[in-house]
Amino acid sequence: LPPLARRLGARAIHSPHYTFPLAPFTRGLRRVVTVHDATFFSDPHAHSTIKRLFFKTWIRAGVRADVQLVAPSRATADEVSRYAGRPRRPIVVAYHGVDPQVFHVPSAAELSKFRAAHELGDAQWVAFLGTIEPRKRVGELIRAHRVLQDEYTSRGDTAPMLLISGQRGWDADAAAELDAAAARADGRVRELGYLPLDELRSSLGGASAVVYASIAEGFGLPVLEAMASGAAVITTKLSALPEVGGDAVVYTEPNAQAIAEALRTLLSDESLRARMAAAGQERAAGFTWEACARTHLDAYRSTL
């Protein structure tokens, strides 16, 4: 990579995923390195041993080396400094953006197509989008939904469905809950797997609520995408999520009881859902990829 950069006349190399060329090979070239999160330190049990060791090693190397680090949130920048040490240069924070061509309020026709594709009929639903891994607390969400379903059933009502979108990762608890929910005759939990990009705004924007009760995020892109799609969002105040949600989301603790209470409040108050959805759209509009790109350009100029 460094010889290629020199042939192209480049003055810097941006390594967008933790690893980077080492100093002996980069004479005359500056280095910019993106670190996406520090959960390898703060939540080590959420990662495999090899993955944990690999990324902790590279984050520490980035802190020690004469490189410009870039992080997607202030929380990530602070955690890198806390766990790996203070880098030579202040870490640049470049918030992610959201593509309004993909994530916007879905049309009535798009929602109708989504309902038909997944045989939802006229059901309401609560949505989750993301990789099903331990820090996302999908098992807690399913248990929270089960509490609500029992409450709805006891008063003769039908609970909203719970649509889980995203690939299964290494979360044994969530996998067990998903399998148990699928086996229930009265199950209202549907695992949709990996959805096509054009269906995401319908999954999120058509939901009565989107829940993303993660305990650790470098940024929290699904929260931003849900807000941009016109959803009322429930998330946590942990790590970077408040930087994304601000005052435009409902906050909860990442356990079944608290998630159930947050859902109960939001599902029973249509005006609150409308206010949060409107606030979320307004806030999401402030996160653009153009602003992210400009911050990166500033980082490149600074390191040169």
Side-chain angles (χ1 to χ4, degrees):
L1 181 60
L4 173 61
R6 290 190 188 93
R7 289 199 300 272
L8 294 172
R11 298 170 62 198
I13 291 175
H14 179 191
S15 300
H17 198 252
Y18 301 92
T19 63
F20 55 92
L22 299 178
F25 308 100
T26 56
R27 287 187 303 276
L29 292 167
R30 304 302 302 168
R31 294 168 294 172
V32 178
V33 182
T34 300
V35 288
H36 293 276
D37 67 68
T39 58
F40 312 102
F41 297 98
S42 61
D43 190 27
H45 299 297
H47 304 283
S48 67
T49 300
I50 292 175
K51 186 177 178 182
R52 185 170 65 245
L53 291 173
F54 180 85
F55 286 108
K56 287 171 77 171
T57 297
W58 277 104
I59 291 172
R60 289 188 174 117
V63 167
R64 291 192 302 268
D66 184 18
V67 304
Q68 175 64 66
L69 295 178
V70 177
S73 65
R74 175 51 53 195
T76 294
D78 290 346
E79 283 202 336
V80 167
S81 297
R82 181 181 310 125
Y83 290 109
R86 186 179 298 277
R88 295 192 187 188
R89 303 162 179 262
I91 300 175
V92 171
V93 174
Y95 289 116
H96 291 327
V98 63
D99 184 351
Q101 299 301 313
V102 176
F103 294 98
H104 56 259
V105 177
S107 67
E110 288 174 325
L111 286 173
S112 178
K113 183 179 178 181
F114 180 79
R115 286 180 176 278
H118 298 283
E119 300 178 343
L120 300 176
D122 60 356
Q124 289 184 299
W125 69 84
V126 172
F128 167 86
L129 172 65
T131 303
I132 301 171
E133 55 181 302
R135 62 190 168 113
K136 311 296 186 184
R137 292 302 190 261
V138 175
E140 297 291 342
L141 171 57
I142 296 171
R143 286 187 282 273
H145 180 266
R146 188 160 62 239
V147 169
L148 290 183
Q149 183 175 348
D150 291 343
E151 291 177 1
Y152 274 75
T153 300
S154 69
R155 59 176 185 258
D157 293 333
T158 301
M161 299 185 71
L162 174 59
L163 303 185
I164 305 292
S165 303
Q167 296 285 32
R168 288 197 188 192
W170 51 97
D171 189 340
D173 174 56
E177 289 289 352
L178 285 165
D179 292 342
R184 284 185 58 162
D186 61 345
R188 300 285 290 168
V189 178
R190 184 83 61 79
E191 186 177 4
L192 301 184
Y194 193 84
L195 291 177
L197 186 62
D198 283 345
E199 287 192 7
L200 295 184
R201 60 179 170 270
S202 294
S203 169
L204 299 170
S208 298
V210 172
V211 180
Y212 196 75
S214 177
I215 63 170
E217 293 294 322
F219 179 76
L221 200 54
V223 170
L224 179 59
E225 292 168 346
M227 292 193 301
S229 300
V233 178
I234 297 171
T235 189
T236 70
K237 287 186 176 181
L238 301 174
S239 60
L241 292 166
E243 293 179 64
V244 180
D247 295 328
V249 298
V250 173
Y251 289 104
T252 183
E253 294 298 318
N255 61 73
Q257 182 178 355
I259 296 169
E261 181 57 36
L263 275 170
R264 193 180 292 116
T265 298
L266 202 55
L267 293 174
S268 65
D269 191 336
E270 186 174 350
S271 64
L272 175 60
R273 292 201 304 275
R275 290 199 306 273
M276 300 313 294
Q281 286 179 263
E282 182 178 357
R283 183 168 179 82
F287 289 85
T288 69
W289 286 119
E290 181 179 0
C292 183
R294 290 186 183 280
T295 303
H296 279 85
L297 286 172
D298 290 342
Y300 301 157
R301 294 187 186 103
S302 174
T303 195
L304 292 172

